[in-house]
Amino acid sequence: MTETKITLLLNPGPVNLSAGVRAALTRPDLCHREPEFAVLQDSIRQKLLQVYHLSPQQWSAVLLAGSGTAAVEAMLSSLIPQTGKLLILENGVYGERMTRICECHGIDHRVISYSWGEPIDTAAVTHELEIDTKLTHMAAVHHETTTGRLNNLTALGLLCRGRGIQLLVDGVSSFGAEILEFDTLAACAATANKCLHGAPGVSFVVVRRDVLAPANAPKRSLYLDLETYCREQDAHTTPFTQPIQVYYALEQALTELENEGGRRERYRHYRTLAHAIREGLLVMGIKPLLKADESSVVLTAYHLPDQLDYQALHDALKTQGFVIYAGQGKFANNIFRISTMGTITTPDIERLLVAFRTLLSTPQ
Ligand SMILES: *Cc1c(COP(=O)(O)O)cnc(C)c1O
């Protein structure tokens, strides 16, 4: 038998799994009504809070079956009361998705929209908060994966705190690596299979317990109601069947994160890899879309080189075992993206740069 060739995933999730996480997927079958399940679930919830050193008295990690969008939808549909109003800040695909979620659920909202890649201008946000006194919540994407921009949550958190506004964050592509100042947040939605290096299928919302709705408040969703999940998970059970194997993988991934030095170490590792790619590509004339200090360490967007279209670049790199990621929407024809989440090492990046160099020096 030939050895299976590993394709390196440089897309922003799902990510390459470690051997330990992959092995965890084949642990023994388990019924979600047995005490072993409760132990597994309690452990994951406690470890998720531990990533940012949050107290379980004040915070709850609520687990959901589904991709990152399920967590974002659960957060928005569960935390804004019928009388509330949300200010959504958009500067990419994921901010725009939050607006669509609000439209689906009939959540009263207002939007400030910036071009993709542009920073959020806090003066405009302040103005909006001043003219619309009905606003009770604000939603923003932390790392806007569309462009790699890391939005400044610190500034938004301060604006919210001064006015009693609850800040809800899509941290799907930053939780586990980037800094998140939870003392300025009401909730953060995230997923197992991005910076945490688990398998796809489980997502979660880390929510301040005092902002969850009372059990008898009107609900917008049956399946995605955070209060229901939180109450049942606190009682060591689950309202619905959970993806047990994906739970196993997430628990293992969180143990490995702890053993590797936690969130800070993951941040440093991503930064080292991202820096090596940025410098290596720059030498070949490939320029990043954003400056390093505006970009996350998780993903960087690059302008496509003149002589190559995205598909040609993607296909040539894929034959060498690398999967890169396209731009979305209006960026489809002029950028490509490289993420460094997953079990990626410095030698992997050296091989990637060799593949780029070979490709660019070969006449197309
Ligand atoms: C990946 C991602 C999501 C969710 O995508 P899913 O495909 O539902 O997992 C949401 N927000 C951001 C910022 C993301 O990067």
Side-chain angles (χ1 to χ4, degrees):
M1 245 177 48
T2 54
E3 200 182 321
T4 318
K5 206 170 122 218
I6 293 179
T7 299
L8 204 68
L9 300 182
L10 300 162
N11 51 289
V15 301
N16 287 114
L17 304 180
S18 72
V21 171
R22 186 181 312 288
L25 288 164
T26 62
R27 282 183 199 160
D29 298 334
L30 183 62
C31 170
H32 64 295
R33 299 292 173 216
E34 293 299 317
E36 293 86 347
F37 172 79
V39 171
L40 173 65
Q41 181 170 263
D42 290 353
S43 163
I44 295 171
R45 296 183 72 214
Q46 182 254 323
K47 284 180 156 68
L48 284 173
L49 294 185
Q50 201 44 46
V51 176
Y52 287 91
H53 309 291
L54 302 175
S55 125
Q57 280 75 43
Q58 204 190 349
W59 294 90
S60 170
V62 183
L63 293 165
L64 302 158
S67 76
T69 304
V72 177
E73 186 157 357
M75 174 174 76
L76 298 179
S77 61
S78 306
L79 296 182
I80 299 147
Q82 306 288 338
T83 52
K85 184 168 182 184
L86 177 67
L87 177 64
I88 304 168
L89 308 177
E90 294 178 346
N91 60 349
V93 168
Y94 298 100
E96 292 174 7
R97 186 173 293 178
M98 293 201 289
T99 302
R100 284 170 50 211
I101 290 171
C102 286
E103 286 162 2
C104 289
H105 290 278
I107 297 168
D108 194 8
H109 66 282
R110 191 176 181 110
V111 179
I112 310 184
S113 197
Y114 302 90
S115 303
W116 290 8
E118 288 301 308
I120 290 169
D121 162 21
T122 45
V125 178
T126 308
H127 178 69
E128 208 66 22
L129 291 173
E130 262 150 29
I131 60 173
D132 190 341
T133 51
K134 281 172 71 189
L135 291 167
T136 54
H137 293 70
M138 185 189 294
V141 178
H142 186 206
H143 169 215
E144 195 28 285
T145 322
T146 315
T147 57
R149 178 175 285 282
L150 197 64
N151 285 320
N152 185 347
L153 292 185
T154 307
L156 298 177
L158 288 174
L159 284 183
C160 287
R161 187 143 65 180
R163 295 174 170 80
I165 304 259
Q166 292 179 22
L167 180 56
L168 310 179
V169 168
D170 170 347
V172 176
S173 62
S174 54
F175 187 100
E178 297 283 354
I179 296 171
L180 276 160
E181 289 161 333
F182 273 89
D183 56 348
T184 62
L185 308 184
C188 176
T191 189
N193 67 288
K194 293 201 185 188
C195 305
L196 295 178
H197 301 183
V202 168
S203 58
F204 57 92
V205 180
V206 173
V207 57
R208 231 172 59 206
R209 288 182 175 278
D210 64 355
V211 306
L212 280 166
N216 60 359
K219 297 186 187 303
R220 290 194 171 90
S221 169
L222 174 87
Y223 193 75
L224 291 177
D225 180 56
L226 280 186
E227 186 280 325
T228 307
Y229 281 95
C230 184
R231 184 165 26 85
E232 299 238 2
Q233 291 177 6
D234 282 349
H236 316 287
T237 180
T238 173
F240 311 107
T241 310
Q242 293 291 53
I244 306 290
Q245 285 75 10
V246 184
Y247 261 47
Y248 279 141
L250 178 55
E251 209 234 0
Q252 176 66 24
L254 289 165
T255 302
E256 292 180 12
L257 174 64
E258 262 169 40
N259 294 344
E260 288 162 13
R263 196 245 0 130
R264 282 166 194 273
E265 262 325 300
R266 184 142 300 171
Y267 174 90
R268 287 198 196 103
H269 179 62
Y270 286 175
R271 191 180 54 186
T272 303
L273 300 179
H275 180 76
I277 301 171
R278 187 179 271 266
E279 294 299 305
L281 291 182
L282 202 55
V283 173
M284 297 174 223
I286 300 178
K287 296 190 181 65
L289 182 71
L290 300 176
K291 293 197 287 253
D293 64 359
E294 297 175 316
S295 198
S296 73
V297 296
V298 176
L299 173 141
T300 307
Y302 295 93
H303 294 284
L304 275 166
D306 290 340
Q307 69 271 41
L308 274 177
D309 72 8
Y310 174 76
Q311 205 58 46
L313 178 64
H314 168 273
D315 294 356
L317 288 171
K318 193 169 177 191
T319 64
Q320 304 293 310
F322 302 101
V323 171
I324 60 164
Y325 212 52
Q328 285 153 294
K330 52 196 161 216
F331 279 156
N333 296 321
N334 41 36
I335 69 164
F336 68 96
R337 293 176 288 169
I338 293 185
S339 153
T340 43
M341 290 182 278
T343 55
I344 299 175
T345 62
T346 297
D348 290 329
I349 299 308
E350 285 160 5
R351 289 191 300 111
L352 173 72
L353 292 172
V354 170
F356 261 101
R357 211 170 295 128
T358 311
L359 185 66
L360 293 173
S361 58
T362 313
Q364 299 303 312

